[in-house]
Structures are given as C-alpha cells and as structure tokens.
Amino acid sequence: MLIVRSNKINIEALFKLVILLGFAFFFSMIIATGKALLYVNPRIIPYVKFGIAALVVIALFYIPDVLKPQRKANIGIYLFFLIPLVSAFVIQAKPLDTKSIALGDVNLSQQAGTGINVNNASNAAAADTDSTWQAQDTSIPLTQEQPDDDVYSSQLKLDGDTIVMDDNNFVKWLQELYDNKQKYQGKKIQVIGFVLKGKELSKNEFYPARLMMACCTADLQPVGLLCRYKNAPELKQDSWVKVEGTIKIIDYKGEQTAIIIADNVSNAQKPEYDYVYPY
C-alpha cells in the first residue's frame, strides 16, 4: 500500500516505532503475569528480557525520524507485523493439553531413556516397544548432558520411604527410575498427572502424565511412567489424578522396566505450573 502525499510526520517511522514498542510491551506483560511460561522454558526468559531491551533501544532511534516529513509512505509491508501483534493481545494464551497436540499413534519406545514416545502414524512402525513414553524428537535430551552415575540419586530425596514426583523433580525422577530402577523396587510412589491412554495399552493401564517442554510449546511432549490400576477404565482421558502406589520392575516386552502398581487413584487439582522441564 503506497501513500503519496505530503505528511508532517513520517508514517513509516511511526509504524516502526509502534511495532517495536508494541512487541516490547507484549513480552513485558507476559513476563510480568507469568504467562511467558506458557510459551517458553523458564531458561529462555532472560533472553526474552534482553530482546525487550533491544526492541526499546532500536525504537528510540526511530523517534527523531517520526518528526521528519515524508512524501511517500509504503505502509503495506508493516501489516505483516501489525496483524500478529494485534493477535497476540486479542488471543488469550492458555495451557495446551493432549487435544491440542498432534499425537498420532501411541508407541512405547526406549530410544533415549525415559518418558513417553508418541510418534506419528508414518513412523510408528519403526519405533521399538517399551513401557515408557519418549519425546518424538529423540535428539532432544531429557537433560542437557548425560549425567554421571548417581547424579540424580544425590539430588533426589525420598519422603520417608516414598518417591514424591512434583513439578521440580518430575523429569529427574523419570530419568532416575530408568537409570537405577532396581534400587527402587518396592518403593512407594506418589505422582500427580493427567490421565493419558493409548491404543497399545491394556484396559487396566494408563499414564499419569505431564507435558514436558524442552524449549518452547512447539516441542511439548507428554512424559510419565506406565501405571496399572484395576479401575483404569473408569478414569477419564485428560482428567487430573493423584496416583499412590508401588514401584515394580517387570519384564515388559523384553525390557526390564519400572512401572507403578497403583493402590489408590483419586481426583487431583491441576498443578500451578502446567509444564515440567528436563533441566
């Protein structure tokens, strides 16, 4: 869109100023309200803050240009920035769930350690089978680097004789239970997660799962331990539950695997933080 007329202000410079400050304000707002965690891993927040500062500094350089008269103004290109900016303010951010993620066919694989693997139908046949689900992109590690022996053991503590998985240690416990499964045979466990069922699971099996974010919402994947519970068919998909049970090491399709034998499953409130993180 080309506007040809004599203006007392530089329309293009004004558009640039509004766009830069608009995005800076939006990013500041979601950080202040905590909604930034719906978009990115907490470790990304410092970089977002740096980006905000950079946007403001760049915007300051355009302020003098706004007062410089301009005869021709091509504002059409700025609509590509204004539309997503307006949409960011209008469309309210909300946590994702399994209905928002293309899960495809559920396959249980042990390609990189622990967690839930939900592959698309096109590559489902290539996956090996196990009782823990792993992230679809197995190049994304559950930890930044492979831990030394007993690293997690030294960081994780039992509550009495019970493993308590929470927001801060959920993925760490998954890794620990994979690396040192025999150590926890017969231990009690408590975990809160949403009910996740798959076609390959038996009627008495489900996952008390959480969504794991390695970097941003684009890589969200469900992770959790397989759970066996006699009343599993009565549990509603995606409902939040608290599972209390016992760790049992079983031979699951040729692999020694830690699962939960549930003694009790009760309704639970959704955790304050929607996602868990690998580090």
Side-chain angles (χ1 to χ4, degrees), residues 13-29:
L14 181 61
F15 267 84
K16 293 176 182 178
L17 186 64
V18 170
I19 291 169
L20 289 167
L21 293 180
F23 277 111
F25 178 75
F26 172 73
F27 292 135
S28 299
M29 180 183 69

Side-chain angles (χ1 to χ4, degrees), residues 7-229:
N7 297 310
K8 294 183 179 180
I9 61 174
N10 187 322
I11 299 297
E12 289 193 34
L14 181 61
F15 267 84
K16 293 176 182 178
L17 186 64
V18 170
I19 291 169
L20 289 167
L21 293 180
F23 277 111
F25 178 75
F26 172 73
F27 292 135
S28 299
M29 180 183 69
I30 62 174
I31 288 177
T33 59
K35 291 184 177 180
L37 297 180
L38 298 178
Y39 297 94
V40 297
N41 187 299
R43 290 195 172 195
I44 306 297
I45 300 299
Y47 301 102
V48 178
K49 292 180 178 178
F50 176 81
I52 293 171
L55 289 171
V56 172
V57 170
I58 295 172
L60 293 177
F61 284 102
Y62 282 107
I63 292 178
D65 292 339
V66 173
L67 302 178
K68 295 179 181 179
Q70 182 186 31
R71 180 171 175 76
K72 295 181 180 180
N74 185 6
I75 64 174
I77 190 174
Y78 300 106
L79 294 178
F80 290 101
F81 299 95
L82 285 174
I83 292 175
L85 177 60
V86 173
S87 300
F89 283 100
V90 173
I91 301 175
Q92 295 296 314
K94 62 178 182 180
L96 298 182
D97 55 27
T98 55
K99 296 177 182 178
S100 307
I101 303 174
L103 296 179
D105 290 339
V106 173
N107 287 281
L108 310 176
S109 73
Q110 184 178 343
Q111 297 175 355
T114 185
I116 298 174
N117 189 7
V118 184
N119 297 298
N120 293 326
S122 60
N123 60 16
D128 295 329
T129 304
D130 191 7
S131 68
T132 53
W133 250 329
Q134 179 67 25
Q136 181 175 354
D137 182 356
T138 55
S139 64
I140 300 175
L142 292 182
T143 56
Q144 280 187 300
E145 56 184 18
Q146 292 296 323
D148 296 329
D149 293 341
D150 296 329
V151 167
Y152 284 133
S153 299
S154 64
Q155 296 175 347
L156 298 170
K157 304 296 181 183
L158 296 177
D159 184 0
D161 199 40
T162 302
I163 298 168
V164 179
M165 298 176 69
D166 57 29
D167 292 344
N168 295 321
N169 64 26
F170 195 95
V171 180
K172 292 183 176 67
W173 268 119
L174 288 180
Q175 187 72 54
E176 171 68 9
L177 288 168
Y178 172 73
D179 291 337
N180 302 294
K181 56 181 70 69
Q182 295 296 338
K183 178 180 177 180
Y184 298 98
Q185 170 81 288
K187 296 290 185 183
K188 295 294 184 181
I189 185 171
Q190 294 180 10
V191 57
I192 292 177
F194 61 85
V195 175
L196 184 57
K197 301 178 181 180
K199 295 179 181 178
E200 293 191 7
L201 302 181
S202 65
K203 65 179 182 179
N204 69 330
E205 295 176 340
F206 73 99
Y207 289 89
R210 296 293 300 272
L211 289 178
M212 181 183 73
M213 179 191 291
C215 177
C216 62
T217 53
D219 59 43
L220 280 174
Q221 291 290 340
V223 293
L225 290 171
L226 180 67
C227 178
R228 289 180 176 172
Y229 180 52

